[in-house]
Amino acid sequence: NEFSGSIPEEIYSNSNMIVLRLDDNELTGTIDTQIRNLVELEDLRLSRNDMAGKIPSEIESLTKLRNILLTNNEFVGVIPNVFDSYTALEFFDVRGNQFSGSLPSTL
């Protein structure tokens, strides 16, 4: 794909979405706090884009996530310590970003 720009707001209103794979594009902008609406999401892949900003703490709502891949973007800040309720998390990869601090103890 060659999607560019921000993640369209309409995506965040699909509460039944299970997979969001937008890796290998030219996406910019941030992960919107409305991501909290994607409560059925199991697979989040935004790797190899030009996204930036912090991972919003609202990601805490996505307790069904099995895979989180955010590699090779420009994300910054501390990774939120919200993963203790993630019972299905199998894979978490955030390499190639500008995070600070240590990994949350819940990972």
Side-chain angles (χ1 to χ4, degrees), residues 12 73 95:
Y12 296 116
N73 280 286
R95 290 175 288 154

Side-chain angles (χ1 to χ4, degrees), residues 37-60:
N37 299 330
L38 304 180
V39 294
E40 298 297 325
L41 199 64
E42 296 178 7
D43 196 343
L44 175 62
R45 299 181 190 217
L46 300 174
S47 294
R48 294 174 302 280
N49 282 291
D50 292 314
M51 298 189 72
K54 297 180 179 183
I55 296 177
S57 60
E58 287 81 0
I59 200 168
E60 180 177 24

Side-chain angles (χ1 to χ4, degrees), residues 89-103:
L89 190 62
E90 297 172 2
F91 197 74
F92 180 84
D93 193 351
V94 296
R95 290 175 288 154
N97 286 287
Q98 306 299 317
F99 291 114
S100 57
S102 55
L103 285 174

Side-chain angles (χ1 to χ4, degrees), residues 31-93:
I31 299 174
D32 195 283
T33 58
Q34 290 185 52
I35 196 163
R36 69 179 170 270
N37 299 330
L38 304 180
V39 294
E40 298 297 325
L41 199 64
E42 296 178 7
D43 196 343
L44 175 62
R45 299 181 190 217
L46 300 174
S47 294
R48 294 174 302 280
N49 282 291
D50 292 314
M51 298 189 72
K54 297 180 179 183
I55 296 177
S57 60
E58 287 81 0
I59 200 168
E60 180 177 24
S61 303
L62 311 181
T63 59
K64 294 183 180 183
L65 275 173
R66 291 186 353 221
N67 299 304
I68 302 173
L69 289 88
L70 305 175
T71 62
N72 300 315
N73 280 286
E74 298 296 325
F75 291 116
V76 298
V78 176
I79 298 170
N81 193 14
V82 297
F83 301 100
D84 54 340
S85 58
Y86 281 47
T87 57
L89 190 62
E90 297 172 2
F91 197 74
F92 180 84
D93 193 351

Side-chain angles (χ1 to χ4, degrees), residues 6-15 17 20 34 37-38:
S6 298
I7 296 174
E9 254 186 63
E10 296 81 15
I11 285 181
Y12 296 116
S13 64
N14 187 347
S15 61
M17 184 181 300
L20 179 56
Q34 290 185 52
N37 299 330
L38 304 180

